[in-house]
Amino acid sequence: MSLVSLDQRRRAARRRLALLAAGVLVAGAGITAFFVLGSDGSGSGDGQREAAPSASAPAAIPSGGSNTPTLLPKAKEVKDGVPVGYPHTLEGAISAAAHYTDANDLFTPDAAERQARVIAEPNMLGMIGTYARMSAQEARKSRGLPENGESDTANFYANQSRAYVIDSAEPDKVTVWLLVDSTISVKGVSENATAVRGAIMIWAEGDWKMSFDSLTGLPDKKPSPETPGSAKAAEAGWRGLAYEK
């Protein structure tokens, strides 16, 4: 990827977050797993699980792959850089997982922890937040950077979710695989990779949250990391995604 196209991708991601934030004002949203846990000011963060409320209708899993993008609902607001506030639907769960993956600042441990706490399931904020911080620190160290620091124009880890596969779906729990394009830049030298990330989303406190099981309980079998938008990707069951504007 050229520096020009890379810069265009990063500007597009920033524009998407800006549009989400602007919409709220007008209308009144390589690394191990996704994030880490600890306690916030209102929760105990002691690791006790909280049952999610039940939904009124079951989720329907689409069959087969497709390169025609599924339009995913936009979030209602942005909190600590993470789009939040999704409908209680299958597409809402996928959108929450994909938006978090794209927004997560994997080269800034402080931000990674804050962002993880935003998306983490209730009562597991501390553990998920801590895991996210440690993952970001390890990502930096593995690339020869100081353990703690911040992303900048020369050092950053950027993701773009391109497609998804639903592993299982219940009204309040969805397991989804994401096909993610990543760009890692260290001291101005960038490399690109496509990987498969898994997430288990649960409905809690009126939004889709990342379950702690995303760190420890993902299915053993996952789709192969095919080139997004290719015939092989569709054959492997991947379904393209796009975000509602």
Side-chain angles (χ1 to χ4, degrees), residues 167-168 175 177 200 217-222:
D167 186 274
S168 63
T175 300
W177 298 104
I200 299 175
L218 286 167
D220 293 332
K221 187 176 181 180
K222 61 183 179 180

Side-chain angles (χ1 to χ4, degrees), residues 3 6 15-16 27 59 143 158 169 205 224 239:
L3 290 177
L6 174 59
R15 281 198 300 271
R16 187 163 68 245
R143 298 288 171 168
E205 297 185 341
S224 57
R239 302 180 68 83

Side-chain angles (χ1 to χ4, degrees), residues 1-15 107 152-160 181-193:
M1 178 181 293
S2 69
L3 290 177
V4 172
S5 60
L6 174 59
D7 185 61
Q8 288 173 339
R9 252 180 61 183
R10 297 184 71 205
R11 286 202 302 269
R14 287 195 294 268
R15 281 198 300 271
F107 263 11
D152 55 32
T153 56
N155 303 297
F156 61 87
Y157 197 136
N159 290 324
Q160 181 180 359
D181 279 344
S182 297
T183 300
I184 306 170
S185 177
V186 177
K187 299 178 181 179
V189 179
S190 63
E191 61 182 77
N192 305 296

Side-chain angles (χ1 to χ4, degrees), residues 53-119:
S54 60
S56 58
I61 303 177
S63 60
S66 174
N67 287 325
T68 300
T70 299
L71 188 63
L72 299 179
K74 63 182 178 181
K76 293 180 179 178
E77 60 180 312
V78 178
K79 183 177 180 181
D80 280 335
V82 180
V84 297
Y86 299 90
H88 193 181
T89 62
L90 179 62
E91 290 78 13
I94 301 167
S95 190
H99 271 108
Y100 173 74
T101 301
D102 293 356
N104 196 14
D105 190 345
L106 299 173
F107 263 11
T108 305
D110 286 347
E113 180 173 0
R114 290 195 304 271
Q115 292 171 332
R117 287 170 174 262
V118 170
I119 195 74

